[in-house]
Amino acid sequence: MLQKGLEKRRVQEKFFQIVLSVMDEGGIKIVQAPTGTGKTYGYLIPIIERGQKAIISTGTKLLQEQLRRDIEVLRSYSEYLLGSQVNYLVIKGRSNYLCLDRYYAEKHQIPQIDTAMENGWDGDFEFVNVDQEIKEKLCVDEDYCTPNYRNLCRYKNECYYWGRLKKLERSADILVVNHALLTLKDFEDTQERILVIDEAHELDRYITNSLTSGISLYTLRVEIMGKIREFLPSADADLETFFIENFEKLFKHDKDQIAIERVKQYAEDFQKRIVDPLESLYSRIKEEVRYRIASFLEDRLFVSLSLKDYLLRTNLITQEEFISIKSTYDELSQEEQDFLRKLKSYELLTKKIIRLKEFLKAMREENQELGFIVSRSWSKKLGTYNYKLECFPVFPAGFVDFDGYKGVIITSATADPEDLKKTLGIVGEYYELEHTLPYYQVHFLVYKVDPKDEDWKDCLFRAYKYLRTLYDKVLILLTNKDHKAFFEREEGLAFQGEENLSKLVEELRAGKIKALVGLDSLWFGVDVKGEKGILMSKLPFESPEDPITFHRIRFLKSIGENPFEYQKRKALIKFRQGIGRLMRSKEDRGTIVLCDRRIFKFKEFLVAVKELGIQVKTVK
């Protein structure tokens, strides 16, 4: 395959051998594959040539689409050279897909969705233009689509996720997923598949975010009170005062996300103002639902077997009541389907009340391995701030289970075995492949200024002006969103967040803008070929106020470890990723400017630059 139009690379062949050994021997292999290795082809080619079934996980949906394009290229070669078809499938989380049952229950259909369905749409919301709130209301939801209800759903065969996608999954050789899906462990026949985790440098962040749970004012008002009012139209409860009185004073200096060190102090008020009033209303509803069931059954001589089984699983009828129900046919009647929908609202409400009480329990226990965060964002639907109180595992070790796979490959340009062990508990055989790109073509300038100095801002701006005199493409990598304000008056410049990032990157490539300013995503995931400049505002240490970093520092101190070693390791991974933004191919070249003299204090960062063959020069 390599001799048919693809470049042959010695370092890539080493990667081939590692992948082949995983297929033959199993185990976990951690591979640091620098930019220029061709790591995507490095694992895809052996997988395709061997016909090995695989699950490939990457960081984002955008990277999933990039993988789709790479597989399509190799698929064409495979069909031509090997005479074999490569059957693959890109899978996103179930919340990305339309639920037909929820959609057709709406009184008013949505034209964009109707048009998409008429044109062979696959149910993926990414390809229709509808508001986020509509997506959340109509998506395939775990609480709504329970196994019990799914078997009765009239749309189970046409369902985009369970009826179509999961069937395609069983026949696909290669599944392309994202890191958040790994925590769901929702794949079949994994013992026949190898797992490849690409872009593993921030795997723990993605896993942590996917495991974050909690309660929001939107959930309380719209999802819980909305369900309650279906049964008790005049019901009401003051759900906002808890957030305002306890947390509003914490939101200062434009900070809309704050780590909570001790959450137990809020538990009693949470129960008094939120849990108790809602549970009281729920108890009234439960009695009414039991009455409605009894009335429904009394009026009928027979009901379907399907409805009878469903009622038993709801725990709303006793075993004796179940036995007394007479059933003579299998499928639900239309009348039973309408009744079932009312029961579905109660079932959804039950799950949310249970989750509310579980969250209260977590608040009271105050487990040091959990971190809590409060945040707010403006909601047009609520007409006020949507407050959120959430918790997450400080270090999500154990939430990704590798035991069921044939073998595992974990790879990134900056894969760090110590970081994977510390954050996720992953231990494997480590391989460090040599870099192949001509980094001697890179100029690295350090402005000898400390970010705490008064003239740091002026220095940063002078560095930007210098790079703009040299290059038509400049990436400005910041560590603090407040620093965006330094560049707001500049022309020909765009900011991450103004539009879709992939669109902004394309505009930079095409010369429509001259510079792009951003934070995390620019350090990690941007590919701009050719000559360019990169401005690093400072060494990318995470702010101690960042909720995940805050709670990890707290936890490491509590067990007697030095948290700065963790902070430094994370900053070094991000720093090396930032350097990698410049060299994407052998033809690339340019200049990196760092406005932070601390690189000479923390020698690991200096070593990382010099190991690539880059000479470091200083500017006073």
Side-chain angles (χ1 to χ4, degrees):
M1 185 180 287
L2 288 173
Q3 298 174 359
K4 298 290 183 179
L6 301 179
E7 179 185 352
K8 189 172 184 178
R9 302 179 188 177
R10 185 169 58 86
V11 69
Q12 194 179 57
E13 291 179 337
K14 289 184 180 180
F15 204 156
F16 292 162
Q17 296 307 312
I18 296 168
V19 176
L20 291 170
S21 71
V22 171
M23 293 182 194
D24 294 334
E25 303 162 13
I28 298 174
K29 314 285 187 185
I30 301 168
V31 186
Q32 185 179 117
T35 304
T37 302
K39 63 180 171 63
T40 307
Y41 281 10
Y43 58 73
L44 281 176
I45 287 174
I47 286 170
I48 291 173
E49 287 192 338
R50 278 275 190 99
Q52 171 64 57
K53 289 192 170 186
I55 296 174
I56 301 171
S57 179
T58 190
T60 64
K61 288 183 279 188
L62 178 63
L63 291 171
Q64 282 182 277
E65 290 305 314
Q66 290 181 13
L67 262 172
R68 184 203 295 270
R69 291 194 291 271
D70 289 333
I71 294 173
E72 282 293 341
V73 171
L74 294 178
R75 188 186 192 193
S76 300
Y77 280 108
S78 175
E79 188 171 357
Y80 172 65
L81 295 172
L82 306 176
S84 60
Q85 293 281 346
V86 178
N87 191 359
Y88 76 95
L89 181 67
V90 177
I91 301 181
K92 300 167 187 173
R94 65 190 70 169
S95 63
N96 290 278
Y97 300 92
L98 176 73
C99 171
L100 290 171
D101 190 53
R102 299 176 85 182
Y103 180 62
Y104 286 123
E106 290 292 302
K107 294 179 181 178
H108 304 289
Q109 264 42 107
I110 300 167
Q112 303 97 301
I113 292 179
D114 286 341
T115 302
M117 287 195 289
E118 290 170 3
N119 292 301
W121 182 45
D122 66 355
D124 187 346
F125 277 121
E126 189 171 347
F127 301 102
V128 293
N129 184 24
V130 294
D131 293 340
Q132 183 61 32
E133 289 179 353
I134 292 176
K135 294 178 184 178
E136 292 174 1
K137 186 178 181 180
L138 300 179
C139 69
V140 178
D141 178 74
E142 185 178 10
D143 286 346
Y144 185 91
C145 188
T146 61
N148 188 22
Y149 183 72
R150 196 182 311 145
N151 291 331
L152 302 179
C153 179
R154 72 185 79 180
Y155 304 106
K156 62 183 178 182
N157 294 324
E158 303 101 286
C159 175
Y160 288 116
Y161 186 77
W162 293 105
R164 303 183 192 181
L165 196 69
K166 298 301 283 184
K167 286 180 182 177
L168 291 172
E169 177 190 320
R170 288 190 284 273
S171 61
D173 301 315
I174 299 174
L175 303 177
V176 179
V177 305
N178 55 56
H179 295 336
L181 280 177
L182 290 179
T183 60
L184 299 177
K185 305 171 187 176
D186 196 22
F187 311 111
E188 298 180 14
D189 302 323
T190 55
Q191 67 277 5
E192 299 178 8
R193 299 183 184 272
I194 64 166
L195 172 65
V196 179
I197 299 178
D198 200 350
E199 302 295 329
H201 46 270
E202 276 209 308
L203 177 62
D204 71 295
R205 284 262 173 175
Y206 287 112
I207 298 298
T208 300
N209 289 336
S210 72
L211 294 170
T212 298
S213 62
I215 198 72
S216 71
L217 184 59
Y218 182 90
T219 299
L220 294 169
R221 271 199 193 175
V222 177
E223 297 178 6
I224 295 181
M225 282 304 299
K227 291 296 176 191
I228 286 173
R229 288 186 181 122
E230 288 182 22
F231 298 92
L232 305 173
S234 61
D236 198 13
D238 177 9
L239 302 170
E240 192 171 354
T241 301
F242 167 77
F243 295 99
I244 293 174
E245 291 193 357
N246 289 298
F247 303 120
E248 183 59 35
K249 58 183 177 292
L250 302 179
F251 296 110
K252 299 176 181 178
H253 309 299
D254 298 324
K255 298 290 184 185
D256 287 330
Q257 192 178 62
I258 299 162
I260 303 295
E261 186 167 7
R262 299 209 60 224
V263 76
K264 189 175 183 178
Q265 61 187 310
Y266 305 111
E268 185 177 344
D269 200 41
F270 185 74
Q271 177 168 358
K272 176 184 175 182
R273 294 181 184 273
I274 293 178
V275 177
D276 287 349
L278 292 178
E279 195 168 19
S280 176
L281 293 169
Y282 171 72
S283 296
R284 289 169 56 191
I285 291 168
K286 184 175 182 178
E287 291 306 311
E288 181 178 333
V289 170
R290 287 180 57 84
Y291 173 78
R292 288 187 185 184
I293 291 172
S295 299
F296 185 86
L297 295 175
E298 281 179 12
D299 293 340
R300 282 150 192 84
L301 185 61
F302 301 106
V303 299
S304 67
L305 287 165
S306 298
L307 179 61
K308 182 177 178 179
D309 289 341
Y310 182 86
L311 289 172
L312 180 65
R313 293 189 178 96
T314 62
N315 294 318
L316 286 167
I317 61 172
T318 64
Q319 186 67 35
E320 290 75 14
E321 288 171 329
F322 172 77
I323 293 171
S324 68
I325 298 172
K326 296 180 175 61
S327 52
T328 57
Y329 51 95
D330 288 327
E331 295 300 318
L332 293 166
S333 66
Q334 182 62 52
E335 196 175 20
E336 288 175 331
Q337 287 178 346
D338 294 339
F339 181 63
L340 186 63
R341 189 167 297 284
K342 295 175 184 176
L343 294 182
K344 192 66 200 169
S345 289
Y346 169 77
E347 186 181 14
L348 273 171
L349 178 60
T350 301
K351 287 181 175 293
K352 294 189 182 300
I353 295 295
I354 290 172
R355 198 163 289 133
L356 199 63
K357 293 164 72 174
E358 289 173 346
F359 190 75
L360 173 62
K361 182 181 178 183
M363 290 174 70
R364 284 182 170 145
E365 291 175 350
E366 209 168 45
N367 185 341
Q368 67 172 358
E369 295 184 1
L370 288 179
F372 285 82
I373 173 179
V374 64
S375 61
R376 68 176 187 180
S377 58
W378 185 259
S379 169
K380 289 189 293 185
K381 188 175 183 67
L382 295 178
T384 184
Y385 284 111
N386 179 30
Y387 297 91
K388 292 182 181 179
L389 182 60
E390 299 171 298
C391 69
F392 55 86
V394 176
F395 287 108
F399 286 94
V400 180
D401 182 9
F402 294 149
D403 290 342
Y405 296 96
K406 184 178 180 181
V408 182
I409 298 159
I410 301 172
T411 185
S412 164
T414 55
D416 185 320
E418 280 300 309
D419 184 64
L420 289 166
K421 181 179 178 181
K422 188 68 185 177
T423 59
L424 290 162
I426 296 172
V427 177
E429 192 174 350
Y430 178 60
Y431 300 83
E432 186 174 333
L433 304 180
E434 65 268 25
H435 69 84
T436 59
L437 296 179
Y439 279 96
Y440 60 83
Q441 298 179 162
V442 176
H443 303 286
F444 197 101
L445 304 181
V446 179
Y447 280 38
K448 298 190 73 174
V449 63
D450 191 292
K452 294 181 180 178
D453 292 346
E454 288 184 7
D455 60 345
W456 175 77
K457 176 183 173 181
D458 293 335
C459 182
L460 184 67
F461 199 71
R462 287 199 304 272
Y464 165 69
K465 288 294 189 182
Y466 169 70
L467 288 173
R468 282 294 304 272
T469 64
L470 298 176
Y471 305 103
D472 288 332
K473 300 184 184 73
V474 176
L475 291 172
I476 302 173
L477 310 182
L478 303 180
T479 61
N480 187 321
K481 66 179 181 180
D482 295 338
H483 296 162
K484 287 183 178 182
F486 300 165
F487 303 94
E488 283 180 345
R489 296 184 179 180
E490 290 299 299
E491 296 181 359
L493 183 148
F495 295 89
Q496 178 187 347
E498 289 179 336
E499 291 187 67
N500 183 280
L501 182 57
S502 58
K503 182 179 179 181
L504 291 174
V505 171
E506 192 55 47
E507 288 181 354
L508 183 66
R509 290 172 183 154
K512 294 179 181 179
I513 57 175
K514 302 299 182 183
L516 180 56
V517 184
L519 290 96
D520 288 350
S521 296
L522 258 62
W523 288 85
F524 288 119
V526 171
D527 189 351
V528 180
K529 292 183 172 61
E531 293 192 9
K532 56 190 165 292
I534 292 182
L535 175 57
M536 295 183 179
S537 61
K538 57 183 180 178
L539 294 178
F541 285 94
E542 294 289 345
S543 168
E545 294 181 0
D546 168 78
I548 293 178
T549 304
F550 174 91
H551 283 293
R552 289 183 174 180
I553 290 173
R554 172 190 59 77
F555 178 78
L556 291 170
K557 284 180 178 178
S558 74
I559 61 173
E561 292 191 16
N562 180 6
F564 186 67
E565 291 303 314
Y566 160 79
Q567 291 173 274
K568 190 163 56 175
R569 187 166 57 246
K570 281 294 187 185
L572 183 58
I573 291 171
K574 194 170 183 177
F575 177 71
R576 292 170 62 208
Q577 283 283 331
I579 294 173
R581 295 314 98 206
L582 198 141
M583 292 299 291
R584 311 305 298 164
S585 70
K586 290 181 179 179
E587 291 72 36
D588 291 352
R589 63 197 71 225
T591 301
I592 299 173
V593 177
L594 171 66
C595 295
D596 193 342
R597 69 180 179 216
R598 293 178 301 168
I599 192 173
F600 300 107
K601 177 182 178 182
F602 306 125
K603 299 295 185 181
E604 299 92 335
F605 296 87
L606 197 59
V607 169
V609 178
K610 291 183 175 180
E611 281 182 342
L612 294 171
I614 300 174
Q615 290 190 351
V616 177
K617 295 182 179 180
T618 59
V619 178
K620 291 185 179 180

